[in-house]
């Protein structure tokens, strides 16, 4: 059995430009991308933060201050399959870090698993 490495991102969707800029300023390692086309008005942004222990308080603070809804939040877990030493093609195991469970206790949002 091969093991995959998980990377975890916390995402805020449907942010306006001011919220996106505030996120980048207030939360370390946060970045944002425009969600919709440049011709659509108003512009909507998606904010992404690598999820680790030191980020939880800042994420929750931003969530509360900006009065966001749970529907605007999601945790994205991406798995990158590691090459097994014997070259087998068995299904990969994706161990999810405990930080995901810890975050869900504060903001019960959608989980998305990408492979």
């Amino acid at each position: 059995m091969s093991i995959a490495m998980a990377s975890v991102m916390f995402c805020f969707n449907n942010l306006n430009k001011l919220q996106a800029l505030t996120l980048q300023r207030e939360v370390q390692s946060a970045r944002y991308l425009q969600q919709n086309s440049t011709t659509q008005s108003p512009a909507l942004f998606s904010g992404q933060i690598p999820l680790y222990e030191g980020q939880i308080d800042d994420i929750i603070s931003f969530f509360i201050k900006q009065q966001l809804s749970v529907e605007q939040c999601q945790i994205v877990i991406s798995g990158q399959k590691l090459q097994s030493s014997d070259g087998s093609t068995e299904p990969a195991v994706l161990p999810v870090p405990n930080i995901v469970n810890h975050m869900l206790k504060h903001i019960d949002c959608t989980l998305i698993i990408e492979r």
Side-chain angles (χ1 to χ4, degrees):
M1 183 179 317
S2 58
I3 297 177
M5 264 175 89
S7 73
V8 182
M9 299 289 281
F10 191 91
C11 301
F12 290 109
N13 297 311
N14 300 324
L15 300 176
N16 61 38
K17 181 70 172 185
L18 181 58
Q19 288 172 322
L21 290 170
T22 302
L23 175 67
Q24 190 172 32
R25 189 180 74 241
E26 291 184 358
V27 180
Q28 183 180 2
S29 303
R31 63 175 189 219
Y32 66 89
L33 305 165
Q34 188 163 350
Q35 283 179 227
N36 55 0
S37 71
T38 56
T39 59
Q40 293 175 330
S41 183
L44 295 175
F45 297 85
S46 173
Q48 302 174 344
I49 307 115
L51 188 58
Y52 54 89
E53 198 67 40
Q55 298 288 69
I56 289 181
D57 291 337
D58 292 340
I59 291 169
I60 293 168
S61 177
F62 178 81
F63 176 78
I64 292 168
K65 283 194 253 180
Q66 297 298 320
Q67 300 177 359
L68 301 175
S69 69
V70 172
E71 290 77 23
Q72 287 179 267
C73 306
Q74 60 190 18
I75 296 174
V76 179
I77 303 168
S78 301
Q80 180 180 3
K81 189 173 181 179
L82 300 176
Q83 192 111 22
S84 60
S85 58
D86 61 359
S88 65
T89 57
E90 292 180 35
V93 173
L94 182 62
V96 177
N98 290 336
I99 189 71
V100 173
N101 192 25
H102 187 77
M103 189 69 206
L104 288 171
K105 291 177 184 176
H106 298 283
I107 302 174
D108 189 18
C109 58
T110 304
L111 285 176
I112 297 176
I113 299 174
E114 297 178 339
R115 288 210 171 210

